Amino acid sequence: MTLTGKTFFGRTHYEVLSVTEDASYDEIRTSYKAAVLNSHPDKLTKKSDASTDPDNFQQDFLYVQKAWEVLSDSKSRAKYDKELLSARHKLEVPANEIELSDMSMETVGDIQELLYECRCGDYFSITLSELREMGILLDEQSLEVESSIDLVPTSILIPCGSCSLNVRLMINDGS
Ligand SMILES: [Zn+2]
């Protein structure tokens, strides 16, 4: 998970303003006004909660302002919704990651192939010579990376032989 992703999902602008994602402009404005009243730095002294950290309080106020800025404008809101959607999409559909040790090796004639079974019953497969072309040399017994050139890819996307699924083979050079 990237730091950006984390920040992005710390709290959405909608959560900051405690509104649903299909809230109308009026609903958002009402919530914003209430949030401002609750988080304005001037109100800090009136808060009885001694544990309230002024820095967090200030931070909250900034989040509320930022959220309002984005959501009050239909154009920037639409853009934000799109970002939210695509970020979520990425999170919900992670590439299925496998390692060399998850694969089994099959030798057909003089072709050595690494296989990993797909949900559809077919296989994700890559041959040792294909890997070699990418600069990845495997020990045929242990399936560990023997040597690799410097700029070797750290992962390879392998498509299924039948369906549209992919798996991401993570290359760990053991170092
Ligand atoms: Zn498949």
Side-chain angles (χ1 to χ4, degrees), residues 118 120 122 160 163:
C118 176
C120 74
D122 200 355
C160 170
C163 72

Side-chain angles (χ1 to χ4, degrees), residues 40-51:
H40 196 280
D42 292 349
K43 298 273 172 184
L44 184 55
T45 48
K46 288 173 192 166
K47 281 253 169 176
S48 54
D49 186 359
S51 67

Side-chain angles (χ1 to χ4, degrees), residues 11-169:
R11 265 194 311 168
T12 67
H13 291 328
Y14 293 101
E15 282 164 356
V16 167
L17 292 179
S18 312
V19 292
T20 59
E21 289 181 17
D22 56 3
S24 68
Y25 175 84
D26 284 340
E27 284 171 319
I28 292 172
R29 191 180 52 188
T30 305
S31 264
Y32 164 68
K33 282 182 175 169
V36 165
L37 282 178
N38 285 324
S39 67
H40 196 280
D42 292 349
K43 298 273 172 184
L44 184 55
T45 48
K46 288 173 192 166
K47 281 253 169 176
S48 54
D49 186 359
S51 67
T52 304
D53 181 348
D55 285 344
N56 281 342
F57 219 66
Q58 179 76 28
Q59 199 62 29
D60 264 8
F61 183 68
L62 292 176
Y63 282 144
V64 166
Q65 286 296 342
K66 178 70 189 162
W68 170 246
E69 210 173 279
V70 171
L71 299 184
S72 60
D73 180 83
S74 62
K75 246 189 204 164
S76 67
R77 182 180 174 182
K79 188 170 166 263
Y80 178 71
D81 284 346
K82 230 183 233 173
E83 286 169 7
L84 211 56
L85 197 72
S86 78
R88 281 191 185 139
H89 189 70
K90 268 179 223 150
L91 287 185
E92 279 167 14
V93 191
N96 193 8
E97 287 179 8
I98 61 169
E99 289 176 13
L100 283 165
S101 57
D102 296 325
M103 304 189 86
S104 55
M105 182 144 92
E106 209 155 271
T107 307
V108 181
D110 47 37
I111 296 171
Q112 289 153 312
E113 204 171 18
L114 289 169
L115 299 170
Y116 185 79
E117 195 174 356
C118 176
R119 242 187 291 165
C120 74
D122 200 355
Y123 290 88
F124 304 100
S125 70
I126 189 160
T127 65
L128 290 200
S129 64
E130 282 173 315
L131 285 170
R132 209 174 300 128
E133 278 167 29
M134 293 179 218
I136 302 159
L137 295 181
L138 292 189
D139 181 292
E140 286 165 27
Q141 253 67 52
S142 67
L143 290 187
E144 276 168 15
V145 179
E146 263 185 347
S147 69
S148 59
I149 54 168
D150 277 350
L151 289 170
V152 80
T154 51
S155 70
I156 303 165
L157 212 55
I158 308 174
C160 170
S162 293
C163 72
S164 61
L165 292 174
N166 292 300
V167 282
R168 186 172 292 281
L169 173 62

